[in-house]
């Protein structure tokens, strides 16, 4: 090391000689710590034709279950408009799509899979396009996107759709049949049966997240979501859905067009939330106000190989950062955590995905972390030391809603559209959520068009005068 | 104009005295501060523009300079940052190279120059304040010249007198040596700041040029060394290398930390006759071909090696 420092000193002397009698050197040059962060992995990214890129991402509005605008809408009627929108907005021939993967959680498996197939027909897809579902609880929508990206990478097809669908009005959370007595012998298996709210209380209790903080997070979520809606930020990603509302008493049907999330309460304050009683534990902190809403909705993301997008002249919205030759850019990470505190999932999954991408947390410009509960959301945000200005900038599930299977796809759409709005300074984004039964998932996305080359200037904590490569 | 992109930062470039389309490039990782080094031997394509690498040798430390042997057409000598001097034979495959490695300098070897008249020996200049004289077949250095008080940046043989060489040092002096004499024969306090390079005039054996951290190039006649013949101003930062043209007696080429390569005619009032801004980082290596009049090459920390004809744009394709 001394040799390197010595060489640096010799070179520096050439540029700023210390024993200078000439006045022209004074104040003209000085050595300073390099402000450009160590950019090794950051700079190494380059474009390849076989990158998996996202050319379109859309969602329906998310509405409160049982009482909101989608309460009388069939689930397949939620998915069809988004699938159709992907085709129409990109002028894609639907028969070119290799597969449609739909993340969906609560519905009975076979029926929901049939409903998705029907949905594809409504949307104008020919019989030759296959459809399947995937279930990894709350991350199903993101898992669907990751599965399609993986299949494109594997060469199964060139174009695919990763989507998410949930109608919690039609399929509320429930357990069918009896519970296997074997779980009594395995504490972690038993923890899988805990209601999600109880895991939230566990997180709040174990990691000391107060009621006040949780309520404040909910207020912020509503505020940001309301501001985003008012500013029209969701207009690009939301696909209007023509549906109906049925009056429960009279049976009259009213046609409506739903294009706004109806769960957002701009007037939410700490005072109004403070009145709510804890639901899952006596003297607990988790209330209906600081939990995600139970909602109906759908989202879909169109992925293809970059070479195909270029050929079709489609602008690239984002890149699912995948395998770059010579480096491991595997950037979908699903990790496992203790089921009793499943909410900590993102705190484990995000560092795993970011590291696999060869990046640092500091490199990520925008986060969408599902707000299943304020307790776990706050825990994860604080544990990772994330800048609150970069997380859920347009509100989160507490305001917008959490239709389980659709959330992943919804977050991808919101993230990519926000990154596009922010311009070339916003290069990397992360979508992450906790998963019931104790898992976490995270994916890293990169903006699709060029980045600002000068974006590099970032404060460096310790200056070792060495690139990461030299270590 | 041919351009070669090296994986590491360029440090020095030298045309082969035997083949007009061959040159060697010394490169170092991480700007020569830490890491490995590599020597590239490049061939210029005969027909169109283009330069290809014919062979490359990896080294454990930075390569600061390289020079071609005048006695064997495939041999080159490298000055390495770990203090070793290595001899490579391009006719042998990389695993058989280097054919010799001399580990005597205590610090970085910054330059190596082959004797063009005697053709049997070479000198190396090192940051351990010494200059060493070597022959290819001797196992150790023939002689060590220890007088400088700071890093010696370059030692260059006189093109006419086979026993005379000059050394440029960070102790701000230029020294002329005769290998038959016990000490230096002349000490010229050429600049107020470190002298980074020197070169002899190929047509007048008493004239040499020095370039310095003070951003100037000075041309000296050793017979009257109190004052320089000319002081060439124009570079914005320290001048890293200076080279006299093998074809025109008054033409000097220089490269600098200001990223430019300049051509000067020191006998003329307005000395700067050409300026090339093709490098985007420090320009640290420069050479002019002996076999092809007007052909020059430069390299810099931007990892690029340019070869072009004087008067043409190095970046033109």
């Amino acid at each position: 090391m001394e040799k390197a420092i010595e060489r640096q000193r010799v070179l520096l002397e050439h540029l700023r000689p210390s024993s200078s009698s000439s006045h022209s050197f004074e104040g003209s040059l000085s050595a300073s710590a390099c402000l450009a962060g160590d950019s090794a992995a950051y700079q190494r990214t380059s474009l390849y034709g076989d990158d998996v890129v996202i050319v379109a991402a859309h969602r329906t509005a998310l509405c409160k279950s049982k009482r909101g605008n989608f309460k009388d809408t069939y689930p397949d009627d939620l998915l069809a408009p988004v699938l159709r929108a992907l085709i129409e907005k990109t002028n894609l021939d639907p028969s070119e799509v290799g597969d449609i993967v739909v993340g969906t959680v609560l519905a009975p498996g076979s029926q929901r899979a049939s409903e998705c197939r029907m949905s594809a027909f409504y949307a104008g897809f020919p019989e030759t396009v296959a459809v399947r579902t995937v279930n990894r609880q709350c991350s199903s929508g993101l898992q669907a996107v990751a599965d399609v990206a993986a299949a494109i990478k594997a060469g199964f097809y060139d174009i695919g759709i990763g989507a998410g669908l949930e109608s919690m009005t039609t399929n509320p959370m429930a357990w069918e049949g009896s519970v296997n007595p074997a779980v009594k012998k395995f504490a972690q298996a038993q923890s899988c049966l805990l209601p999600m709210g109880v895991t939230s209380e566990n997180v709040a209790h174990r990691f000391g997240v107060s009621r006040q903080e949780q309520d404040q997070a909910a207020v912020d979520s509503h505020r940001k979501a309301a501001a985003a809606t008012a500013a029209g930020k969701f207009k690009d990603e939301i696909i209007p859905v023509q549906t109906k509302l049925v009056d429960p008493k009279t049976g009259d049907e009213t046609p409506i067009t739903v294009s706004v999330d109806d769960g957002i309460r701009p007037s939410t304050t700490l005072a109004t939330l403070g009145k709510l009683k804890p639901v899952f534990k006596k003297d607990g902190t988790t209330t209906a106000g600081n939990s995600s809403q139970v909602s109906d909705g759908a989202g879909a993301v169109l992925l293809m190989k970059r070479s195909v997008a270029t050929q079709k002249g489609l602008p690239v919205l984002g890149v699912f950062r995948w395998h770059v030759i010579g480096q491991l850019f595997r950037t979908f990470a699903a990790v496992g955590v203790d089921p009793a505190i499943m909410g900590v999932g993102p705190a484990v999954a995000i560092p795993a995905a970011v590291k696999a991408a060869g990046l640092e947390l500091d490199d990520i410009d925008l986060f969408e972390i599902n707000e299943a509960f304020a307790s776990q959301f706050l825990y994860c945000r604080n544990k990772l030391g994330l800048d609150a200005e970069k997380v859920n900038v347009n509100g989160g599930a507490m305001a917008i809603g959490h239709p389980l299977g659709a959330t992943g796809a919804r977050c991808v759409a919101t993230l990519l559209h926000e990154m596009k709005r922010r311009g070339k300074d916003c290069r990397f984004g992360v979508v992450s959520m906790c998963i019931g039964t104790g898992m976490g998932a995270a994916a890293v996305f990169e903006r699709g068009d060029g980045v600002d080359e000068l974006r590099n200037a970032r404060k460096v904590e310790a200056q070792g005068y060495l690139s990461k490569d030299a270590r | 104009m041919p351009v070669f992109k090296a994986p590491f930062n360029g440090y020095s470039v030298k045309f082969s005295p035997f083949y007009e389309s061959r040159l060697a490039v010394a490169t170092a990782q991480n700007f020569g501060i830490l890491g490995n080094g590599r020597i590239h031997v490049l061939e210029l394509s005969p027909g169109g523009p283009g330069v290809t690498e014919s062979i490359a040798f990896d080294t454990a430390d930075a390569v600061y300079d390289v020079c071609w042997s005048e006695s064997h057409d495939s041999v080159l000598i490298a000055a390495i940052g770990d203090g070793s001097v290595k001899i490579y034979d391009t006719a042998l495959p990389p695993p058989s190279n280097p054919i010799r490695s001399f580990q005597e300098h205590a610090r970085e070897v910054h330059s190596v120059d082959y004797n063009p008249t005697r053709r049997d020996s070479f000198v190396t200049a090192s940051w351990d304040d010494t200059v060493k004289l070597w022959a290819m077949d001797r196992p150790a250095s023939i002689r060590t010249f220890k007088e400088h008080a700071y890093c010696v940046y370059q030692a260059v043989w006189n093109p006419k007198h086979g026993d005379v060489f000059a050394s440029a040092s960070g102790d701000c002096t230029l020294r002329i040596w005769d290998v038959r004499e016990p000490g230096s024969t002349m000490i010229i306090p050429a600049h107020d700041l470190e002298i980074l390079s020197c070169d002899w005039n190929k047509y007048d054996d008493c004239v040499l040029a020095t370039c310095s951290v003070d951003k100037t190039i000075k041309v000296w006649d050793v017979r009257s060394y109190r004052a320089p013949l000319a002081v060439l101003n124009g570079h914005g930062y320290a001048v890293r290398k200076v080279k006299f043209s093998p074809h025109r007696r008054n033409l000097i080429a220089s490269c600098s930390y200001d990223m430019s390569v300049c051509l000067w005619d020191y006998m003329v009032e307005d000395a700067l006759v050409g300026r090339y801004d093709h490098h985007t980082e420090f320009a640290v290596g420069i050479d002019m071909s002996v076999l092809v009049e007007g052909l020059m090459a430069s390299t810099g920390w931007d990892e690029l090696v340019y070869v072009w004809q004087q008067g043409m744009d190095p970046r033109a394709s």
Side-chain angles (χ1 to χ4, degrees):
Chain A
M1 257 315 289
E2 295 73 41
K3 214 164 58 155
I5 295 171
E6 186 52 33
R7 287 183 194 177
Q8 247 194 309
R9 189 193 59 77
V10 170
L11 288 168
L12 199 61
E13 279 295 306
H14 296 174
L15 289 163
R16 189 206 51 179
S18 46
S19 63
S20 124
S21 50
S22 164
H23 68 274
S24 60
F25 281 118
E26 274 161 22
S28 58
L29 278 178
S30 62
S32 63
C34 180
L35 287 174
D38 181 9
S39 55
Y42 201 89
Q43 291 288 53
R44 229 183 268 133
T45 314
S46 37
L47 306 178
Y48 290 94
D50 57 354
D51 275 342
V52 177
V53 300
I54 295 152
V55 297
H58 290 287
R59 64 179 182 93
T60 63
L62 303 189
C63 296
K64 290 174 96 71
S65 298
K66 295 201 169 46
R67 290 173 294 149
N69 289 333
F70 284 142
K71 70 181 180 66
D72 300 303
T73 309
Y74 284 103
D76 36 349
D77 283 335
L78 280 177
L79 184 59
V82 242
L83 292 181
R84 191 180 306 118
L86 289 183
I87 299 303
E88 282 171 359
K89 287 190 191 272
T90 55
N91 271 331
L92 189 70
D93 177 359
S95 61
E96 291 189 57
V97 175
D99 198 3
I100 303 176
V101 181
V102 186
T104 186
V105 181
L106 296 168
S110 175
Q111 178 171 341
R112 178 49 51 88
S114 297
E115 285 166 343
C116 291
R117 179 82 166 130
M118 285 147 58
S119 219
F121 285 127
Y122 304 158
F125 285 85
E127 64 196 20
T128 49
V129 178
V131 177
R132 73 167 171 93
T133 58
V134 66
N135 190 338
R136 200 200 288 268
Q137 313 284 12
C138 311
S139 69
S140 300
L142 188 62
Q143 185 71 56
V145 172
D147 283 357
V148 170
I152 294 177
K153 256 300 168 177
F156 294 163
Y157 43 79
D158 284 341
I159 305 177
I161 294 177
L165 168 63
E166 202 73 51
S167 169
M168 297 173 84
T169 303
T170 316
N171 312 105
M173 283 207 222
W175 184 275
E176 299 277 326
S178 55
V179 173
N180 189 341
V183 304
K184 294 203 189 66
K185 295 194 224 123
F186 295 91
Q188 288 188 311
Q190 192 148 34
S191 297
C192 291
L193 298 170
L194 290 174
M196 294 295 101
V198 174
T199 69
S200 165
E201 292 286 0
N202 289 343
V203 168
H205 178 78
R206 194 187 294 197
F207 301 110
V209 188
S210 68
R211 167 77 185 261
Q212 171 99 344
E213 289 170 294
Q214 293 180 45
D215 284 349
Q216 183 61 50
V219 169
D220 289 338
S221 188
H222 280 277
R223 177 177 51 81
K224 288 190 271 189
T229 308
K233 284 199 187 174
F234 293 144
K235 280 213 177 63
D236 288 332
E237 68 203 58
I238 292 186
I239 302 300
V241 175
Q242 319 269 44
T243 182
K244 61 180 188 297
L245 274 178
V246 179
D247 186 328
K249 296 197 195 74
T250 65
D252 289 337
E253 291 187 7
T254 327
I256 51 165
T257 304
V258 184
S259 49
V260 175
D261 303 312
D262 70 7
I264 305 173
R265 298 278 176 273
S267 52
T268 306
T269 61
L270 277 178
T272 57
L273 290 177
K275 296 197 198 111
L276 296 171
K277 292 199 176 33
V279 184
F280 301 100
K281 183 171 126 172
K282 193 158 171 291
D283 300 329
T285 54
T286 304
T287 70
N290 58 33
S291 307
S292 57
Q293 294 180 31
V294 179
S295 309
D296 308 325
V301 178
L302 178 59
L303 299 104
M304 59 180 68
K305 272 196 157 79
R306 188 190 288 276
S307 47
V308 174
T310 314
Q311 196 185 22
K312 292 186 179 301
L314 290 171
V316 171
L317 187 59
V319 183
F320 189 93
R321 266 279 147 235
W322 192 252
H323 214 101
V324 173
I325 297 160
Q327 300 159 42
L328 204 57
F329 253 69
R330 184 176 39 86
T331 59
F332 169 76
V335 299
V337 298
D338 180 359
I341 45 164
M342 65 92 199
V344 309
V348 182
I350 293 177
V354 167
K355 182 168 170 222
L359 300 167
E360 306 279 337
L361 268 182
D362 276 342
D363 292 327
I364 308 296
D365 300 299
L366 207 56
F367 291 85
E368 278 285 331
I369 302 180
N370 191 40
E371 296 166 356
F373 298 95
S375 61
Q376 57 84 218
F377 165 71
L378 285 171
Y379 165 77
C380 295
R381 196 184 73 187
N382 296 338
K383 179 77 166 40
L384 298 176
L386 301 178
D387 183 354
E389 299 291 310
K390 291 188 192 175
V391 182
N392 295 0
V393 297
N394 291 327
M398 288 189 278
I400 303 177
H402 177 28
L404 304 188
T407 281
R410 191 289 286 171
C411 288
V412 171
T414 308
L415 180 83
L416 292 181
H417 282 268
E418 180 61 28
M419 280 171 70
K420 180 167 149 196
R421 262 191 298 274
R422 291 194 163 209
K424 292 188 197 283
D425 200 38
C426 190
R427 184 170 176 191
F428 291 107
V430 158
V431 171
S432 178
M433 65 281 291
C434 54
I435 301 171
T437 70
M439 287 178 271
V444 177
F445 297 86
E446 182 175 357
R447 74 174 297 107
D449 53 9
V451 290
D452 186 347
E453 284 300 321
L454 298 178
R455 168 70 181 89
N456 255 346
R458 214 179 311 128
K459 190 166 173 293
V460 180
E461 301 309 319
Q463 185 47 267
Y465 292 101
L466 279 185
S467 147
K468 265 192 239 165
D469 290 341
R471 270 182 237 143
Chain B
M1 298 288 121
V3 178
F4 176 73
K5 168 100 173 49
F8 301 153
N9 309 98
Y11 255 84
S12 171
V13 59
K14 292 275 172 69
F15 283 100
S16 166
F18 290 93
Y19 302 106
E20 47 187 56
S21 62
R22 184 176 297 180
L23 54 152
V25 184
T27 65
Q29 214 178 2
N30 297 317
F31 311 108
I33 294 174
L34 191 73
N36 303 334
R38 188 173 293 172
I39 301 152
H40 299 268
V41 178
L42 308 178
E43 293 287 337
L44 300 167
S45 315
V51 56
T52 50
E53 176 189 284
S54 64
I55 197 169
F57 305 110
D58 283 305
T59 56
D61 205 340
V63 188
Y64 287 139
D65 196 12
V66 69
C67 83
W68 289 97
S69 161
E70 298 272 344
S71 55
H72 296 83
D73 62 350
S74 61
V75 172
L76 47 83
I77 306 165
I80 317 285
D82 60 6
S84 67
V85 180
K86 291 184 164 38
I87 304 185
Y88 291 87
D89 189 340
T90 61
L92 298 173
S96 317
N97 274 293
I99 54 178
R100 296 262 195 290
S101 179
F102 304 109
Q103 188 78 42
E104 278 190 36
H105 278 296
R107 284 198 57 193
E108 288 80 352
V109 188
H110 200 252
S111 101
V112 59
D113 191 40
Y114 208 92
N115 194 323
T117 25
R118 288 201 183 282
R119 306 210 174 126
D120 61 355
S121 50
F122 56 94
V123 281
T124 55
S126 165
W127 287 5
D128 66 0
D129 314 346
T130 67
V131 175
K132 281 182 189 279
L133 172 67
W134 314 76
M136 294 265 288
D137 47 356
R138 302 267 191 109
S141 60
I142 300 170
R143 184 159 157 202
T144 303
F145 303 86
K146 190 174 171 56
E147 275 185 34
H148 280 295
Y150 191 55
C151 305
V152 190
Y153 289 110
Q154 190 159 14
V156 192
W157 289 102
N158 188 302
K160 197 146 165 225
H161 303 285
D163 297 313
V164 175
F165 69 89
S167 64
S169 165
D171 67 2
C172 313
T173 61
L174 168 73
R175 279 171 208 255
I176 316 291
W177 311 74
D178 187 322
V179 299
R180 298 162 297 187
E181 300 289 327
S184 57
T185 55
M186 206 176 291
I187 304 171
I188 304 174
H191 293 265
D192 289 328
L193 294 170
E194 294 187 49
I195 307 174
L196 299 183
S197 175
C198 61
D199 194 29
W200 294 91
N201 187 320
K202 315 293 183 226
Y203 291 87
D204 189 340
D205 55 354
C206 293
V207 172
L208 71 163
T210 57
C211 69
S212 165
V213 169
D214 68 4
K215 312 179 200 171
T216 65
I217 300 162
K218 290 188 184 173
V219 185
W220 304 85
D221 187 324
V222 296
R223 293 164 299 197
S224 64
Y225 56 86
R226 297 263 174 241
L229 293 177
V231 178
L232 308 175
N233 294 296
H235 276 299
Y237 286 110
V239 190
R240 181 82 187 206
K241 278 243 174 73
V242 69
K243 193 104 174 70
F244 261 101
S245 164
H247 295 275
R248 285 172 53 190
R249 71 183 293 145
N250 300 331
L251 191 67
I252 298 172
S254 66
C255 64
S256 160
Y257 284 97
D258 70 1
M259 307 193 288
S260 71
V261 172
C262 288
L263 282 176
W264 315 78
D265 182 335
Y266 73 93
M267 295 297 283
V268 165
E269 175 68 33
D270 196 2
L272 184 64
V273 297
R275 189 187 185 99
Y276 303 97
D277 276 308
H278 47 286
H279 283 293
T280 56
E281 291 284 353
F282 297 155
V284 295
I286 191 174
D287 196 24
M288 304 174 86
S289 173
V290 172
L291 301 172
V292 179
E293 175 161 2
L295 192 66
M296 357 189 347
S298 74
T299 186
W301 282 14
D302 56 0
E303 303 169 359
L304 295 170
V305 180
Y306 287 89
V307 185
W308 75 101
Q309 271 291 340
Q310 282 163 33
M312 316 215 63
D313 180 4
R315 276 182 289 203
S317 53

